[in-house]
């Protein structure tokens, strides 16, 4: 007979939570680090089942406003409920045996945060929940695939929450992560890894968004490969990734698209840069980038750089003129900053 007794009793969970909330801090600022000799050692010694119980107890505790009021963060003293939040957040990425209902609630919380916690500090640290959210999803998928001996069906509520999580990642420009997760769950959603707001990217989105799913999937694969253009020049490994994708595209159509997009690269933005984006390029703060008509999104620039590399396989006068526009776009001078994007 399998025991239903929790691995960590509710009373013991509350003892640990209060110990964290009242622990004197050796580090200050906005980072909490448990004492490795006490709380840190205790947490490290817990089994995955015990940590799962603690995570659920912390979630209940953090959702109660009175706990935040009773345990405020004290500069030079204790981190209070903020220390509990940081500890809870750090436990989430671990592969814990959490019930599906708890997982669903955690995925909602990772996207929304404050309505659950009623805690002002959550707003500033909400972005730090994106990585735990992704790891929660991947661990859950690993678990059900392992138990099923391969691909396994998701429940409707879990599928809906994973799709919503991918939408959240798209909104934060984490397209590659969202695309990878959608592939794992067999999602029919195909998002292009491009930021709207630049003339060339708007045209690329318009050209590709309405394609049949298989053709669009090929373009998504090509854009993701172009996103890996971090080196100063394309190497053999990069071409080995790109060439099989290029073989699936009609050369004349590809050449026409590249020429069209390149010739729009030096045009002013079609809408201001979104201040939420951390992708504004070197020399710009988010505030400065939002005010400049020619600032280029870093994700778009990486893709555009990769497209320039692969255009060497498709030489034409139109491509040549387009590359000239890309050069003008990259070297456009901004007072007090310099070139818009020297990488291009």
């Amino acid at each position: 007979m399998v025991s239903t007794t929790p691995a960590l009793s509710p009373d013991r969970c509350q003892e640990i939570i209060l110990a964290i909330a009242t622990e004197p801090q050796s580090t200050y600022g906005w980072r909490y680090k448990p004492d490795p000799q006490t709380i840190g050692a205790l947490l490290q010694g817990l089994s995955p089942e015990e940590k799962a119980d603690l995570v659920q107890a912390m979630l209940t505790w953090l959702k109660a406003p009175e706990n935040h009021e009773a345990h405020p963060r004290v500069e030079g003293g204790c981190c209070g409920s903020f220390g509990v939040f940081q500890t809870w957040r750090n436990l989430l990425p671990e592969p814990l045996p959490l019930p599906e209902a708890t997982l669903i609630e955690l995925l909602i919380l990772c996207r929304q945060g404050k309505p659950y916690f009623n805690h002002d500090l959550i707003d500033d640290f909400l972005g730090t929940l994106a990585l735990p959210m992704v790891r929660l999803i991947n661990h859950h998928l690993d678990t059900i695939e392992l138990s099923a001996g391969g691909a396994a069906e998701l429940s409707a509520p879990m599928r809906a929450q994973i799709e919503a999580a991918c939408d959240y990642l798209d909104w934060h420009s984490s397209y590659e992560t969202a695309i990878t997760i959608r592939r794992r769950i067999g999602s029919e959603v195909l998002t292009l890894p491009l930021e709207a707001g630049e003339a060339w990217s708007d045209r690329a989105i318009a050209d590709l968004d309405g394609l049949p799913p298989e053709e669009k999937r090929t373009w998504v694969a090509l854009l993701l490969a172009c996103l890996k253009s971090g080196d100063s020049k394309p190497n053999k490994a990069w071409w080995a990734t790109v060439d099989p994708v290029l073989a699936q595209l009609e050369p004349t159509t590809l050449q026409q698209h590249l020429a069209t997009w390149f010739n729009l690269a030096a045009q002013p933005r079609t809408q201001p840069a979104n201040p939420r984006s951390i992708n504004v390029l070197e020399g710009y703060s988010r505030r400065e980038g939002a005010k400049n008509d020619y600032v280029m999104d870093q994700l778009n620039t990486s893709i555009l750089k990769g497209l320039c590399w692969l255009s060497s396989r498709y030489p034409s006068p139109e491509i040549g003129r387009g590359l000239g526009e890309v050069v003008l776009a990259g070297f456009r001078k901004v007072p007090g900053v310099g070139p818009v994007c020297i990488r291009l």
Side-chain angles (χ1 to χ4, degrees):
M1 180 176 178
V2 178
S3 172
T4 57
T5 304
L8 206 62
S9 71
D11 288 344
R12 181 56 177 153
C13 286
Q14 292 304 310
E15 288 176 12
I16 295 172
I17 291 169
L18 291 177
I20 295 169
T22 57
E23 182 186 13
Q25 291 305 290
S26 57
T27 58
Y28 305 107
W30 297 106
R31 184 170 62 91
Y32 166 77
K33 187 176 182 181
D35 186 332
Q37 302 301 319
T38 55
I39 300 297
L42 187 154
L43 294 173
Q44 202 167 26
L46 296 177
S47 69
E49 292 75 18
E50 290 172 325
K51 288 180 180 178
D53 287 327
L54 183 59
V55 162
Q56 293 178 86
M58 284 179 163
L59 177 58
T60 302
W61 192 91
L62 287 165
K63 286 162 57 179
E66 60 269 23
N67 289 328
H68 299 285
E69 294 169 6
H71 299 281
R73 180 179 179 276
V74 179
E75 189 67 39
C78 66
C79 259
S81 61
F82 183 67
V84 178
F85 167 73
Q86 289 274 44
T87 305
W88 172 84
R89 184 200 66 187
N90 293 339
L91 287 172
L92 288 186
E94 297 191 21
L96 305 178
L98 295 166
E100 183 173 288
T102 301
L103 278 171
I104 288 174
E105 185 173 11
L106 289 172
L107 293 181
I108 296 171
L109 185 144
C110 286
R111 300 196 315 274
Q112 298 178 358
K114 192 172 179 179
Y116 281 69
F117 288 159
N118 295 304
H119 187 25
D120 290 339
L121 291 174
I122 301 306
D123 280 348
D124 295 331
F125 283 86
L126 197 51
T128 63
L129 291 174
L131 179 59
M133 178 178 70
V134 170
R135 289 187 175 172
L136 282 170
I137 292 170
N138 283 326
H139 172 61
H140 180 67
L141 295 177
D142 289 342
T143 301
I144 62 175
E145 287 170 2
L146 184 64
S147 62
E153 285 294 322
L154 288 166
S155 68
M158 179 59 75
R159 177 174 290 276
Q161 289 307 319
I162 292 177
E163 291 278 15
C166 289
D167 291 342
Y168 176 87
L169 293 168
D170 284 340
W171 194 82
H172 282 279
S173 306
S174 297
Y175 297 106
E176 187 173 9
T177 302
I179 287 168
T180 301
I181 292 173
R182 285 188 174 117
R183 282 175 180 164
R184 292 197 68 181
I185 66 172
S187 173
E188 296 181 0
V189 177
L190 280 173
T191 303
L192 294 168
L194 288 167
E195 287 289 334
E198 297 173 38
W200 85 267
S201 64
D202 286 355
R203 178 59 186 267
I205 292 169
D207 288 340
L208 304 179
D209 229 5
L211 293 176
E214 283 307 312
E215 190 175 353
K216 184 178 178 182
R217 191 170 284 110
T218 302
W219 276 101
V220 168
L222 182 65
L223 296 177
L224 288 177
C226 289
L227 189 57
K228 306 295 187 183
S229 60
D231 294 338
S232 58
K233 60 182 179 180
N235 55 36
K236 289 182 179 179
W238 187 82
W239 281 116
T241 302
V242 171
D243 281 335
V245 184
L246 291 177
Q248 301 175 53
L249 295 171
E250 204 279 313
T252 303
T253 302
L254 176 59
Q255 193 176 46
Q256 290 171 348
H257 282 327
L258 292 178
T260 300
W261 301 343
F262 291 169
N263 275 289
L264 293 171
Q267 297 297 310
R269 295 189 63 87
T270 58
Q271 55 184 280
N274 194 330
R276 73 169 168 81
S277 176
I278 60 172
N279 291 329
V280 175
L281 281 178
E282 57 269 11
Y284 293 95
S285 67
R286 295 194 205 185
R287 193 179 306 124
E288 289 168 340
K291 294 187 293 186
N292 189 277
D293 290 336
Y294 293 97
V295 67
M296 304 176 77
D297 184 275
Q298 187 172 3
L299 181 141
N300 285 351
T301 302
S302 295
I303 290 175
L304 187 57
K305 181 181 173 185
L307 292 173
C308 289
W309 282 356
L310 65 86
S311 71
S312 63
R313 297 284 174 86
Y314 306 92
S316 71
E318 293 76 18
I319 292 272
R321 285 191 291 270
L323 288 172
E325 292 298 312
V326 174
V327 172
L328 290 175
F331 278 104
R332 188 188 302 276
K333 295 295 184 0
V334 177
V337 175
V340 168
C341 180
I342 197 68
R343 289 195 298 151
L344 281 177

